[in-house]
Amino acid sequence: YCWRLLSIQRDQKERLFQYEKILNNAMVGIVYLKNRRIISCNRRFEQIFGYEPSELIGQSTERLYRTIETYHQIGEGAYRVTDGNASYSTEAIFQRKDGSPFPGVLNGCVIDPEHPHDGSIWIYADVSDRHQAEQRANKLLRAVEQIPFSIAIVNRQGMIEYGNSRFCTAMGKHSEEVLGQNYVLFESDNQSSDYYRHLSAALLAGKAWSGEKHSRREDGTYFWEETTIAPVVDNEGTTRHFVAITE
């Protein structure tokens, strides 16, 4: 009996060691809370918030939030949901030890649904990189929308996936009417065979093409415009889209 007991204890210690190793190598912060106080957490959780090992143990999670209002708001929402045996997820602005704010994602649930006040497990993730990427994308989109040129992005089948406001105005269409249309539909029937030959040769060679293009508006009127069409390649160098810039 003693031998079996020792064997079980060794197995339990081994599993515990493996669990701790997994938790401490996780890319997200994991914390066990009770009454909104930190009982235990992995190293990544401490790193995200800028604390030394074990420095947060016993502390209130209030110090993790940018404002006391956010702390109370998330607490009310989270524990209302988790008390109903459901998981909770939200995004918020958190605060590191040095006072610097950062955007993060929070997910959590109670350990035992039948005893929700015995504690809960929460996962924190720093999404600063994603947030910064979204800000850069939004800035680029605003610039493209306000630039005084017509810009359209088409896929390899020639279908329009994006047209800025200047492009839509030039074609006499609303943005939702442009998406999914074939880019050729906005060209006149007066283009020469040389036009298509030179355009195709350049794009198939992965090069940009520039020249005059005869285009047609929604009302049937025609106009000439200076156009540059260039391939858009992915990380492997494969052409996925084409961008057309006209003035």
Side-chain angles (χ1 to χ4, degrees):
Y1 173 80
C2 293
W3 180 85
R4 287 183 57 194
L5 181 61
L6 290 173
S7 178
I8 292 173
Q9 290 176 340
R10 283 197 300 269
D11 290 342
Q12 290 176 337
K13 288 182 179 180
E14 179 63 24
R15 284 197 296 270
L16 181 60
F17 173 77
Q18 291 175 349
Y19 294 153
E20 290 179 346
K21 188 175 181 179
I22 291 172
L23 291 176
N24 285 324
N25 284 278
M27 299 302 294
V28 293
I30 304 173
V31 60
Y32 167 43
L33 301 180
K34 193 169 184 180
N35 297 320
R36 304 199 75 179
R37 288 192 174 275
I38 299 170
I39 305 303
S40 63
C41 63
N42 68 345
R43 184 67 188 115
R44 178 57 182 158
F45 179 82
E46 297 165 330
Q47 291 171 339
I48 288 174
F49 289 94
Y51 287 88
E52 296 298 322
S54 302
E55 189 177 358
L56 283 169
I57 303 302
Q59 299 296 322
S60 168
T61 55
E62 178 183 341
R63 65 175 54 210
L64 307 180
Y65 295 92
R66 185 65 171 167
T67 65
I68 188 65
E69 290 78 15
T70 302
Y71 169 75
H72 288 307
Q73 180 183 8
I74 288 182
E76 292 171 3
Y79 284 93
R80 182 173 59 250
V81 171
T82 54
D83 281 351
N85 192 22
S87 60
Y88 178 81
S89 178
T90 190
E91 293 191 17
I93 300 299
F94 297 100
Q95 179 174 270
R96 297 187 179 89
K97 181 181 179 180
D98 62 8
S100 60
F102 69 94
V105 174
L106 169 66
N107 295 275
C109 63
V110 296
I111 297 176
D112 184 356
E114 295 183 0
H115 302 88
H117 298 290
D118 285 351
S120 54
I121 294 293
W122 297 90
I123 296 175
Y124 289 75
D126 183 345
V127 294
S128 297
D129 291 343
R130 190 194 75 187
H131 188 70
Q132 292 171 2
E134 290 175 348
Q135 288 183 324
R136 289 194 297 269
N138 289 332
K139 185 185 298 183
L140 177 60
L141 180 60
R142 288 194 300 270
V144 170
E145 281 294 323
Q146 297 173 27
I147 198 170
F149 301 103
S150 295
I151 297 179
I153 298 176
V154 302
N155 59 26
R156 290 174 61 91
Q157 290 70 44
M159 300 300 177
I160 298 174
E161 294 188 0
Y162 170 79
N164 71 348
S165 55
R166 186 70 174 258
F167 174 79
C168 297
T169 300
M171 295 300 119
K173 283 181 170 288
H174 297 294
S175 58
E176 59 272 13
E177 297 175 311
V178 166
L179 300 181
Q181 295 293 313
N182 194 306
Y183 188 72
V184 176
L185 293 179
F186 299 102
E187 297 178 350
S188 75
D189 299 327
N190 299 324
Q191 300 287 176
S192 67
S193 57
D194 286 342
Y195 163 81
Y196 290 107
R197 185 173 67 255
H198 293 153
L199 173 61
S200 299
L203 297 182
L204 289 175
K207 299 178 181 179
W209 174 89
S210 295
E212 285 191 337
K213 185 167 72 71
H214 203 213
S215 299
R216 177 169 53 87
R217 297 186 180 92
E218 172 69 9
D219 61 7
T221 59
Y222 296 93
F223 63 99
W224 288 96
E225 55 185 355
E226 287 288 338
T227 303
T228 296
I229 303 177
V232 179
V233 300
D234 60 19
N235 293 333
E236 285 71 40
T238 302
T239 299
R240 298 297 183 185
H241 294 83
F242 300 95
V243 58
I245 304 174
T246 61
E247 60 176 321

